[in-house]
Amino acid sequence: MLFRIGQKRFSIKGVAFSLFGATALLLTVGVQESRAQEESDKGAYLTAAGGCYGCHTDVKNDGKPFAGGRPLETPFGIFYTPNITGDPETGIGGWTDEEFLKALKEGIGPSGHPYFPAFPYTSYTKMTDEDALAIKAHLMSLPPVVQENRSHDVSPPFSWRWLQWGWRLLFFDEGPYVPPARASEQVTRGGYLVEALTHCGECHTPRNFLGGSDNSLYLAGAANGAEGELVPNITPDDATGIGDWSEGDIVSFMSDGMMPDFDNVQGSMAEAIDHSLSKLTEEDRAAIAAYLKSIPPIENKVTSSGP
Ligand code: HEC
Ligand code: HEC
């Protein structure tokens, strides 16, 4: 059908079709944009859950986010974290997805060298490839920072990278994440968050003299955690663990660091809450609490002279 407005002739069908076309195009662009936004939000969320910021940022000296240089004191010496921003020279901007996955999930660098377990690839190995790559996409979306890496201050033999090949044989179990038998959906999610991302065990599971995790004391506390801290038992044992904390206590502790006795948490746990756990959704914190309640209680009193 044709009609006139002034000198112009329009076809109603034509107008309708082009309107439809334009709307469809706008919708498609919109959907693509919101999908990209969702992907990038997901990457930011997982990066927070993984606690990458706290270790890879020299917060105390106003360092730039993810540019590294943060000292990590361990019984073996001081490790300085590398730059993981998108700068191609001093950061990881030139890395392929495969190189990133190999570093994060196998603990092996682009030139084939093994990483020290001060980098908790031993936990990240349980992450899905999809989650790991969402983290990479997020890191690459941030401003690249030019900052040279600082070498570690660790004495031999612990500074010998090649010895890590032996260490790996003894102590590294490559992923994937296996949920506990007959776990509910919530506990399965909580276990993934604890084991693959938030890496509670890197601090709460004691280590032997070579720095390997003693899995018979999984999450049962450590006398000499990072920076010489006493790390409490967080298994549901009534006397020596957190058996008397409700799931609600654990959830609110992870959001603001307040313990059931109204004490405020200190040290590296306070950092883990600030930079990571407080940024999780309530649902994910509840999943972590449900998982912690589901693991076997272990009686282990952590004292400064104990295991
Ligand atoms: C507990 C501290 C800690 C946390 C948490 C941590 N890292 Fe690291 N990371 C390190 C240390 C230390 C190294 C250096 C290891 C070495 O030199 O062998 C490292 C190395 C790396 C490397 C290799 C860089 C290079 O130049 O070879 C990448 C990539 C990396 N981390 C990414 C991440 C990501 C992504 C996260 C969060 C999911 C993360 N890290 C969380 C301590 C940490
Ligand atoms: C970087 C090391 C580190 C990581 C990672 C870590 N913690 Fe902690 N956590 C500590 C230290 C150290 C303390 C003791 C803090 C203090 O004495 O104030 C602590 C204390 C706690 C407490 C208080 C227990 C009590 O009896 O006082 C709970 C609960 C807890 N952590 C749960 C977790 C959970 C759950 C995760 C993982 C989602 C986690 N932590 C990850 C180091 C860590």
Side-chain angles (χ1 to χ4, degrees), residues 240-296:
T240 61
I242 57 169
D244 56 343
W245 293 36
S246 69
E247 284 186 29
D249 289 338
I250 302 175
V251 170
S252 74
F253 171 75
M254 286 189 286
S255 51
D256 61 13
M258 184 83 85
M259 311 216 224
D261 62 5
F262 303 111
D263 243 7
N264 259 316
V265 75
Q266 310 290 326
S268 60
M269 187 66 208
E271 277 180 41
I273 291 175
D274 275 359
H275 302 315
S276 164
L277 304 174
S278 66
K279 302 206 154 68
L280 300 182
T281 59
E282 202 67 3
E283 201 185 349
D284 273 349
R285 277 193 288 267
I288 292 180
Y291 170 77
L292 287 181
K293 283 287 177 188
S294 79
I295 62 174

Side-chain angles (χ1 to χ4, degrees), residues 50-52 55-56 72 81-82 84 95 100 104 115-116 118-120 124 135 152 161 199:
C52 324
C55 270
H56 283 278
L72 293 170
T81 51
I84 56 166
W95 287 26
F100 187 80
L104 211 64
Y115 288 117
F116 294 107
F119 170 27
Y124 300 144
I135 291 178
H152 304 314
R161 244 181 224 283
H199 60 274

Side-chain angles (χ1 to χ4, degrees), residues 194-252:
V194 165
E195 294 184 28
L197 279 158
T198 59
H199 60 274
C200 320
E202 298 283 344
C203 299
H204 285 276
T205 302
R207 293 172 188 273
N208 59 29
F209 72 104
L210 288 173
S213 291
D214 179 354
N215 290 328
S216 68
L217 288 173
Y218 177 60
L219 296 184
N224 59 343
E227 333 240 287
E229 285 169 315
L230 213 66
V231 193
N233 181 342
I234 56 169
T235 71
D237 184 54
D238 282 331
T240 61
I242 57 169
D244 56 343
W245 293 36
S246 69
E247 284 186 29
D249 289 338
I250 302 175
V251 170
S252 74

